[in-house]
Amino acid sequence: MAFNQFFRIGRKITSCTVFGENSAFNLQNVAILGKNSRLQIFTSCTLSSTNQRPDWNRAVSEAEKIVGYPTSFLSLRWLLSDEIANVALHLRKLVGSNHPLLKTAKSLIYNGRNNMQAWGLIVLLISKAAGHRNVDDMEEDKAAGVLYSQRALAEVTEMIRTSHLVHKGLVNIYAGQYQEPSELNDMAFGNKIALLSGDYLLCTSCAELAALRNNDIVDLMSSAVRDQAVSEFLGQRDKQNNPLPSCGKSALADWTTRNVLSAGSLLGKSCQGTLKLAGHTNQVQEQGYKFGKHLALAWQACLELEPFISSKYVPGSMFNLTSAPVLFHLEKDPSLYAEIEKGLDTIHAVNYQKVHEIVSKGPGIELTKELQREHSQKALEVLNSFQDSDARTALSNIIFAMGEL
């Protein structure tokens, strides 16, 4: 029941069969039967999209086979749980409203390169690439070549990141902001669901962390959650806490600080933690942190380039005003601040078409591509310090799939 509710949020599906590598149920490979009963397979719970590079899904799919089976918490045991079933049921009530939680829920399932499955997958791949030392055989998942504790940490990583994204969907409600009572009720109800579902994921991740019985790992992952919280209070914000560029700051330093705190810290410390669980030295653990951090930053730069891949602006679309292309352009051409400052009350007041046209013609795009290549190269350099293996190759393929180095 919960499965159907979850997938009806985004798009109607005629028929759905779930199967996988080592289990009858595997949400990474979803077969959809259309009108003519033609079988189509969409990997990683995504629908094919024209703006995705064709090798991304293949790279992720091949990587999943190496670690045995997907780690995503969007698995059968989660989808059939009472809590997730209730969340899915209540989300249906928000369909037709403008609450940002709906967009978040849809992106978690359908947005290929930003999906949570890949974050946990990265943790498992670096675990297998590095191997483990002096660990009890009972702790190892022989088929996958990783420890059960490492798989649990990968799930924790996904839950923490997802809870952060869900919590970001909360709407600040001011007196007189919504004239229609029905709209106000929708926003208030959506806030309750976002708060409770985000808290549920976060508290469940805390319980799984505690079950590892490793204080160092708990401290490490707790600091990653702290960094995510700090990232939400950096720089100028509109009334809905959407970020705005700050005048007078170095574009590179500002972008790096924001994204290390919001993403790089979590993936980096997860990779560091999984190597600690495997008994590696502090030096190797530090290499794991660097790999995760640089991969997260390269990933973020790749995502921020997507709205500017086409010179044509999609009417009504919005993008992050603190994305690398915008920040780099503002550093070279501060006159664009005049338009962006219109968003001090709400970013919806900004003319995104105008910003898109100006940034597309400026130096920000090429500088962002250089930034992505730089962090991708640094991640590859760390990766090359590990022995050659299928897991190392899979990580390299994922990095190359994000963009041409």
Side-chain angles (χ1 to χ4, degrees), residues 87-275:
V87 169
L89 184 63
H90 290 307
L91 275 174
R92 293 180 65 188
K93 299 177 182 178
L94 288 177
V95 174
S97 73
N98 292 320
H99 199 284
L101 180 59
L102 277 179
K103 184 178 178 180
T104 301
K106 185 178 179 180
S107 68
L108 291 178
I109 298 175
Y110 292 123
N111 190 5
R113 199 177 289 113
N114 196 30
N115 62 36
M116 299 305 102
Q117 291 88 335
W119 277 67
L121 180 62
I122 296 299
V123 176
L124 291 181
L125 287 171
I126 198 68
S127 303
K128 187 164 185 177
H132 47 268
R133 305 169 55 195
N134 304 322
V135 176
D136 191 335
D137 287 345
M138 295 294 290
E139 293 292 321
E140 183 184 2
D141 181 349
K142 299 287 186 183
V146 298
L147 305 179
Y148 292 112
S149 57
Q150 291 176 318
R151 193 174 292 282
L153 183 61
E155 282 197 3
V156 166
T157 302
E158 293 173 351
M159 283 188 281
I160 291 175
R161 179 154 167 77
T162 306
S163 69
H164 178 64
L165 293 174
V166 170
H167 279 151
K168 286 178 70 173
L170 285 165
V171 175
N172 290 333
I173 299 176
Y174 298 94
Q177 183 179 2
Y178 300 104
Q179 303 301 322
E180 294 292 330
S182 59
E183 189 177 7
L184 177 61
N185 290 337
D186 285 342
M187 293 299 111
F189 182 74
N191 277 356
K192 292 176 183 177
I193 300 302
L195 181 62
L196 292 174
S197 56
D199 284 354
Y200 172 72
L201 290 172
L202 195 57
C203 74
T204 304
S205 69
C206 291
E208 290 210 18
L209 270 179
L212 294 177
R213 299 185 178 277
N214 189 314
N215 288 337
D216 291 336
I217 299 297
V218 172
D219 183 58
L220 192 66
M221 299 305 292
S222 298
S223 66
V225 175
R226 175 205 63 202
D227 291 343
Q228 285 185 328
V230 171
S231 71
E232 294 301 314
F233 296 92
L234 289 179
Q236 290 191 93
R237 302 265 164 171
D238 73 353
K239 289 185 177 180
Q240 292 299 332
N241 203 46
N242 294 304
L244 294 167
S246 302
C247 295
K249 285 190 176 182
S250 162
L252 180 59
D254 189 20
W255 183 87
T256 302
T257 301
R258 290 175 186 271
N259 290 289
V260 166
L261 289 172
S262 64
S265 175
L266 176 60
L267 189 55
K269 290 179 178 179
S270 296
C271 292
Q272 179 182 350
T274 197
L275 298 185

